[in-house]
Amino acid sequence: MTCSEFLALLDDLIDDSVTPETRAQLQEHLRGCDHCEVTLNTTRKTIEIYRSHEIYDLPPSLRERLHAAIMARCKKGC
Amino acid sequence: MSTIQLIAGENEPHPDVALVDRVRGGDVLAYDTLVRKYDRQIFRIAQHITQNREDAEDVMQDAFLKAYEKIDQFQGNSKFYTWLVRIAVNESLMRLRKRRTGKMVSIDEDIETDEGSVPRDLADWAPDPEQNYGQAELAEILRKTIQGLPQGFRIVFVLRDVEGLSTEETAETLGLSIPAVKSRLLRARLQLRERLSRYFRRKRGAEK
Ligand SMILES: [Zn+2]
């Protein structure tokens, strides 16, 4: 397996949607290729960081204000 | 038994199904519950697309009002949440179009780029690299980095990886084919990785 073949399957590997045979081939490639191992690990980390950090939070006061506005209009039948 | 329950009832009916039914029966309080359940996500998605706080506030209100008005059109063959997200994405794009009058805005915008499809920065990252930054600083880095992605990549990444929609749901929400979602997701992930590398790479001499 070449690096570009590995890269083409990177998402499937990360999303855990590869067959056991393909997984074995990918792991075989990783054993001999530091570059792809770094790419895999840092891509996983990228996703994890975005998933676990709130970069646009909704402050409680704003949330209550928007909520009240929405419900007031819904009650009027919009 | 209503149609939605029949369709969703294959395994466990989703708890939203009962709430939507109550809303249809005129129970405004049930809608209150749905709004509280999803308002953060809708606000976040709107911010990611519009990149503007006031627009996101408007989008959030308009999306929930529109969903309420159209609740009878909700078919129940998709999740209520996915349906709501689709409304919010459309409202966000509409808002963008208004802001940049004359300029076409679509999820296909700026898509021709190979940036990041071949990883160039191959330096390993520091262990737990985010801990080298304060919370506010880290949030700023993450915001700046994702805002630099082409719109069509950014939306796919946000729906799929941040909000946890499936590939199929993302495709349906954005009106894209499944291969298009997959190809954008890969490129979005690789571009973000490449850009974050600048901040998170292991510093020379800092190896333990
Ligand atoms: Zn390789």
Side-chain angles (χ1 to χ4, degrees):
Chain A
M1 177 177 284
T2 65
C3 290
S4 34
E5 285 166 340
F6 179 90
L7 213 56
L9 289 164
L10 182 70
D11 271 356
D12 291 336
L13 180 62
I14 289 174
D15 298 332
D16 208 15
S17 56
V18 286
T19 62
E21 297 78 48
T22 310
R23 176 179 298 278
Q25 288 176 324
L26 291 163
Q27 271 159 354
E28 177 64 31
H29 180 82
L30 282 178
R31 268 192 288 278
C33 183
D34 284 349
H35 284 175
C36 287
E37 194 179 15
V38 167
T39 303
L40 172 65
N41 291 337
T42 53
T43 305
R44 275 202 174 121
K45 186 75 190 171
T46 298
I47 298 165
E48 187 208 308
I49 287 179
Y50 272 103
R51 215 170 262 171
S52 56
H53 290 84
E54 193 69 80
I55 60 172
Y56 294 121
D57 64 332
L58 179 56
S61 56
L62 174 61
R63 187 181 184 213
E64 289 314 314
R65 186 165 62 73
L66 292 174
H67 193 87
I70 293 167
M71 293 318 296
R73 283 173 63 189
C74 286
K75 277 174 194 147
K76 271 196 295 184
C78 294
Chain B
M1 187 184 257
S2 79
T3 3
I4 346 177
Q5 278 171 332
L6 279 172
I7 296 161
E10 279 178 11
N11 331 79
E12 280 289 285
H14 195 282
D16 289 351
V17 169
L19 286 168
V20 169
D21 265 358
R22 281 170 50 195
V23 177
R24 283 176 167 161
D27 182 351
V28 184
L29 272 182
Y31 197 60
D32 193 284
T33 310
L34 284 169
V35 175
R36 283 197 189 275
K37 194 165 168 189
Y38 296 121
D39 55 1
R40 288 172 208 280
Q41 289 97 312
I42 295 302
F43 185 69
R44 204 154 52 206
I45 291 167
Q47 282 247 18
H48 273 294
I49 300 176
T50 63
Q51 304 191 326
N52 176 290
R53 168 90 166 242
E54 285 90 60
D55 280 347
E57 291 178 20
D58 290 345
V59 165
M60 184 179 133
Q61 296 189 59
D62 292 349
F64 277 113
L65 288 171
K66 195 162 261 182
Y68 184 75
E69 282 168 21
K70 291 184 165 181
I71 200 121
D72 284 331
Q73 292 170 33
F74 171 64
Q75 293 292 320
N77 44 15
S78 62
K79 285 187 208 140
F80 175 74
Y81 176 57
T82 324
W83 183 72
L84 185 63
V85 168
R86 188 161 52 221
I87 295 175
V89 168
N90 288 335
E91 288 291 320
S92 302
L93 290 173
M94 225 144 69
R95 184 74 44 175
L96 270 187
R97 279 182 204 119
K98 261 188 216 157
R99 198 168 270 273
R100 317 186 200 162
T101 32
K103 199 164 173 257
M104 268 301 288
V105 179
S106 78
I107 46 166
D108 295 321
E109 188 179 277
D110 307 323
I111 221 70
E112 281 144 47
T113 165
D114 281 336
E115 190 206 327
S117 20
V118 180
R120 275 170 302 172
D121 192 331
L122 294 162
D124 201 1
W125 289 3
D128 302 317
E130 68 271 39
Q131 282 169 16
N132 295 331
Y133 296 91
Q135 276 228 337
E137 198 184 359
L138 178 67
E140 187 53 36
I141 290 171
L142 296 177
R143 263 195 301 271
K144 235 172 38 195
T145 303
I146 199 166
Q147 285 179 354
L149 278 191
Q151 175 88 278
F153 291 3
R154 193 169 66 236
I155 303 183
V156 169
F157 179 81
V158 167
L159 295 187
R160 183 68 179 60
D161 279 342
V162 181
E163 304 303 334
L165 268 66
S166 69
T167 303
E168 290 73 16
E169 287 167 343
T170 306
E172 194 198 319
T173 302
L174 300 177
L176 293 170
S177 69
I178 286 174
V181 168
K182 284 188 166 174
S183 120
R184 285 175 189 208
L185 181 65
L186 176 63
R187 287 189 285 169
R189 285 171 167 179
L190 288 174
Q191 281 190 26
L192 286 175
R193 187 207 77 87
E194 193 87 27
R195 288 162 189 226
L196 285 181
S197 245
R198 205 178 328 150
Y199 304 98
F200 293 159
R201 60 190 302 164
R202 196 188 283 271
K203 302 276 184 303
R204 212 170 292 165
E207 265 106 310
K208 281 178 199 153

